[in-house]
Amino acid sequence: VQLQASGGGLVQPGGSLRLSCQASGRSFSDYGVSWFRQTPGEERKWVAGISGSGAITYYTDSVRGRFTISRDNTKNTVLLQMNNLKPEDTATYYCAAGRLVVDRPHDYDYWGQGTQVTVSS
């Protein structure tokens, strides 16, 4: 499985962005997918995850109610809709695929390249 993340950019506080993680390869629905984010000098932190079928979603407390993760297995795509963005959401965002949705980066088998999200006025 290869992952390609896109959709980052510069947005004002309170604005919205939608990140996309496009997968190639077979059996995409066998994998849970998560989004992580990372700022310079800090560890990569788990943000949100979705089960292989898309039936179950998970969020870290700081984004619950503002971010929505979804997937379309017919298109091999996972989306992260980010609303009401805050300056503290500024980071490089990565998508990752693994057999389980967990908050530990080393448990994921495949990673996309990062996409930068900057929230600033």
Side-chain angles (χ1 to χ4, degrees):
V1 175
Q2 293 183 321
L3 304 177
Q4 179 83 22
S6 62
L10 172 64
V11 64
Q12 293 186 342
S16 298
L17 281 174
R18 187 175 72 174
L19 304 184
S20 176
C21 181
Q22 180 69 52
S24 62
R26 297 183 176 181
S27 304
F28 179 61
S29 61
D30 288 345
Y31 293 89
V33 175
S34 284
W35 288 93
F36 288 79
R37 62 188 180 188
Q38 188 172 25
T39 55
E42 295 195 4
E43 295 182 350
R44 200 164 291 188
K45 296 179 181 178
W46 178 81
V47 175
I50 189 165
S51 63
S53 67
I56 305 174
T57 57
Y58 310 83
Y59 301 94
T60 194
D61 287 346
S62 63
V63 308
R64 186 175 291 112
R66 299 188 298 121
F67 291 12
T68 302
I69 189 169
S70 62
R71 69 189 294 163
D72 184 344
N73 286 337
T74 66
K75 298 180 180 178
N76 281 6
T77 301
V78 171
L79 301 177
L80 185 67
Q81 178 67 42
M82 305 186 296
N83 297 330
N84 191 20
L85 283 161
K86 304 176 180 181
E88 52 263 42
D89 295 317
T90 295
T92 302
Y93 284 71
Y94 299 87
C95 59
R99 291 298 181 179
L100 297 174
V101 176
V102 294
D103 61 1
R104 298 181 298 271
H106 63 263
D107 284 328
Y108 286 81
D109 302 311
Y110 306 101
W111 288 85
Q113 88 293 356
T115 185
Q116 178 67 35
V117 172
T118 302
V119 185
S120 175
S121 56

